Amino acid sequence: MSLAAVAPQPLPRLKKFVEEGFGDIPDRGIDPPKEEWIFRVPPYGRKSRVPAEKTIVEIVPIQELRQVTVTWPIAFASKEEREAFRLNKPDFFVSWLLGHEGVGSLLSYLKGKGWANSLGALDNANLSDFITFEVTVELTNKGLGAIDDVCEAIFSYVRMMQQSPIPDYVFDENLQLDELEWRYTTKGPTGSYVQSLATAMDHFPPSLYVAGPRRLALKETEERLISSDEPRSSFKNRGQRDIIKRACKDLIDRLTVDNSFLTAFSKTYEGRTSEVEKWYGTNYNVRPIPASTLTRWRNAAPAASIGLAYPRKNVFIPSESGLRVKKRPKRSGDPKALSFEEKIRPVPPPTVIRDDGDDGRWTVHFRQDDRFGKPKAFLIFQLLTGELYSSPLKASLAMLYQQCAADKLNEYTYDAGLAGLTYDFQVLPRGARLTFGGYDDKLKDFASYMSSKLARDLDDVLPSDEEEFERYK
């Protein structure tokens, strides 16, 4: 049993609450049930209804869904191997690469073929002695008929990772971005935070209860854990990075065709299934993947031949010198919470720094942050016009443009999003609104490019052919 408590009371008082509320729970000295099977019983045995390799499970969903998932069961041989996996987090880096959405990514290729709308990679079934690593693709109608091709592309990317070392900058940039989030993290919901602490108590040593689920590179050496909460801008040395690289290689080497199975969801399987799930009554079918298909996947096309590549360096990561705060907020020495009157006190309005009048072009408002003290900024552009909603046709075209822009510019904005920059384009009854936000070091360049694309380069945003238009529909 693990117990975590988060509250605004002092620690002695909080300790008393815990002792009064939970002190009478007896310790019966009973081992948890998992001790009977952990590291002894394979996750998918011979009696499993779903064999763990070289099969496809075809499921009839309730909702309209077109999806395929490639799953690799990853079993651990010992407690030490499982703990090392949690500390090194190779699944984070491998899923980051497979789930990338920029130029040369797996999703970019699948979208270009008209087979997919979205893609995600993550670990699942995260248990004491095994996980499942998964790549899930949301398919188009065309992609549903090309599942074998979609899976071949996935194995092409995996093969690239197995044969070509992951560039060092992938690890360096992910550490930088992760530490930026750690450095400028904000308080979230107390409920989810205390739950994460209780879970971390089962997964990490006491020194990492808080940092363990939230930071990368938790080992300084193979024998020593990190000991400081101070944000880092790089790995301590090459050896620390090499620990992560070896863990990633070990995981990638397990992502083979022969160690995988597929799960496909589609309404088109209705009437073609032979099994009914016991508890939910779901109709499904399990069949072996043809040997010819497995051979094709084992010899998947070289990644470069179909335009797949590792992500480029992220130019939007803010420099250390760019993380400056112009005006730091005044902190009161009194730690007591704000009174109700203080909380409802209105925030001073922004200052008008330019006003071209009623017939002019611009009205510009500015407000200097004096509360949060972070090197971030927000730019909000409200373009006033009644044309966008002047007719049902124009409203529909405006909303189509909004959807096209979000999709077509995703390859560019993806890296910016990873680096903490955001943008939002909305079509509204009063006009259009553009919002940019994030670390201000690279915000101006990002906003300038995006506004230029949206306003001038229409051919880069609108559908290029009927097939792409069909995918948007």
Side-chain angles (χ1 to χ4, degrees), residues 31-40 86 128-129 202-203:
D31 291 332
K34 68 181 182 181
E35 295 300 326
E36 297 182 7
W37 50 261
I38 188 171
F39 307 119
R40 298 187 186 95
R86 285 199 177 106
S128 298
D129 64 346
D202 280 337
H203 293 169

Side-chain angles (χ1 to χ4, degrees), residues 216-412:
L216 299 174
L218 299 175
K219 285 184 172 184
E220 286 190 358
T221 67
E222 288 288 5
E223 295 79 27
R224 188 171 65 249
L225 302 176
I226 61 173
S227 56
S228 173
D229 290 335
E230 288 299 313
R232 302 163 290 180
S233 58
S234 63
F235 288 99
K236 187 171 185 179
N237 50 50
R238 181 181 297 178
Q240 188 182 29
R241 188 203 294 128
D242 287 344
I243 294 173
I244 309 296
K245 292 175 69 174
R246 288 192 294 270
C248 288
K249 184 180 185 307
D250 180 67
L251 173 59
I252 293 167
D253 287 345
R254 299 190 190 197
L255 306 184
T256 65
V257 173
D258 295 321
N259 186 40
S260 65
F261 66 90
L262 269 60
T263 309
F265 295 85
S266 173
K267 287 283 193 180
T268 61
Y269 298 133
E270 204 156 10
R272 298 160 49 191
T273 58
S274 58
E275 303 282 346
V276 179
E277 198 275 331
K278 179 179 179 180
W279 303 107
Y280 294 98
T282 301
N283 295 310
Y284 71 98
N285 192 53
V286 181
R287 62 178 177 84
I289 298 172
S292 58
T293 303
L294 295 172
T295 301
R296 174 185 167 190
W297 291 347
R298 293 188 195 104
N299 300 285
S305 69
I306 58 175
L308 299 179
Y310 285 122
R312 300 177 294 190
K313 290 186 177 181
N314 192 338
V315 299
F316 293 108
I317 297 177
S319 62
E320 191 64 29
S321 61
L323 296 172
R324 298 189 304 269
V325 177
K326 185 175 181 180
K327 183 177 181 180
R328 296 192 177 277
K330 296 178 181 179
R331 302 294 185 190
S332 172
D334 187 357
K336 69 178 182 179
L338 295 176
S339 67
F340 177 74
E341 289 74 16
E342 290 173 319
K343 289 180 180 179
I344 65 172
R345 185 179 299 158
V347 177
T351 302
V352 177
I353 59 175
R354 173 176 170 178
D355 188 352
D356 295 346
D358 294 339
D359 299 325
R361 187 174 185 181
W362 293 103
T363 303
V364 181
H365 302 260
F366 173 76
R367 171 135 171 73
Q368 177 65 52
D369 170 42
D370 58 2
R371 177 172 297 189
F372 300 101
K374 296 184 179 181
K376 294 185 176 183
F378 288 91
L379 306 173
I380 303 173
F381 297 88
Q382 181 78 38
L383 311 176
L384 301 177
T385 175
E387 285 295 313
L388 299 184
Y389 271 67
S390 60
S391 71
L393 174 61
K394 289 184 177 181
S396 298
L397 290 174
M399 296 188 71
L400 174 63
Y401 178 76
Q402 176 181 320
Q403 182 179 2
C404 292
D407 185 76
K408 294 294 284 287
L409 296 177
N410 182 61
E411 287 189 358
Y412 179 81

Side-chain angles (χ1 to χ4, degrees), residues 97 157-167 252 303 310:
L97 287 167
Y157 202 99
V158 171
R159 186 181 179 189
M160 178 186 72
M161 292 193 293
Q162 292 169 342
Q163 296 179 349
S164 303
I166 299 171
I252 293 167
Y310 285 122

Side-chain angles (χ1 to χ4, degrees), residues 103-125:
V103 176
S105 67
L106 183 56
L107 179 61
S108 177
Y109 170 75
L110 296 176
K111 277 186 174 182
K113 287 290 187 179
W115 293 337
N117 289 318
S118 65
L119 179 149
L122 75 164
D123 66 301
N124 206 345

Side-chain angles (χ1 to χ4, degrees), residues 37 39 42-44 52 71-77 81-83 85-86 89-92 94-95 122-134 203 247 250-252 254-255 259 261:
W37 50 261
F39 307 119
Y44 293 88
T71 301
W72 293 271
I74 307 295
F76 303 102
E81 185 183 358
R82 184 66 177 104
E83 289 178 349
F85 190 92
R86 285 199 177 106
K89 302 184 180 181
D91 50 322
F92 173 88
V94 177
S95 62
L122 75 164
D123 66 301
N124 206 345
N126 202 330
L127 301 180
S128 298
D129 64 346
F130 89 101
I131 67 167
T132 57
F133 188 85
E134 300 177 352
H203 293 169
D250 180 67
L251 173 59
I252 293 167
R254 299 190 190 197
L255 306 184
N259 186 40
F261 66 90

